[in-house]
Amino acid sequence: MLRYKINILLELKKAGYPSTRLRQEKIIGESTIQKLRTGNTSINLGSLEIVCQILHCQPGDLVEWVEDA
């Protein structure tokens, strides 16, 4: 299963992009923000690309695959 390595919303907030700004400027949709909040990794690649651009990172810095127990 995939899981986030970091708290993405917290890192976006540190970078100057709190969830209110993401919503108001239509950078990331509300459903994606909710998925990030709950740890749901089923976001689309376009949203992942936006997060990577803002945080200046690679997708592998955000998510990892771990074997189901």
Side-chain angles (χ1 to χ4, degrees):
M1 84 174 165
L2 288 177
R3 71 176 177 192
Y4 294 113
K5 291 180 174 180
I6 62 170
N7 182 327
I8 294 176
L9 289 178
L10 179 62
E11 295 303 316
L12 287 169
K13 184 176 181 179
K14 288 179 187 176
Y17 290 85
S19 58
T20 53
R21 180 178 179 189
L22 294 172
R23 270 192 235 94
Q24 289 173 347
E25 296 181 19
K26 298 182 181 173
I27 298 168
I28 296 176
E30 178 62 38
S31 63
T32 301
I33 292 170
Q34 189 61 28
K35 287 178 182 180
L36 293 172
R37 185 173 285 121
T38 61
N40 182 336
T41 56
S42 66
I43 65 173
N44 67 47
L45 290 177
S47 296
L48 184 61
E49 181 178 8
I50 291 168
V51 171
C52 288
Q53 287 174 349
I54 292 171
L55 298 179
H56 304 286
C57 66
Q58 294 293 317
D61 298 328
L62 304 176
V63 294
E64 64 183 344
W65 180 83
V66 292
E67 196 168 335
D68 289 335

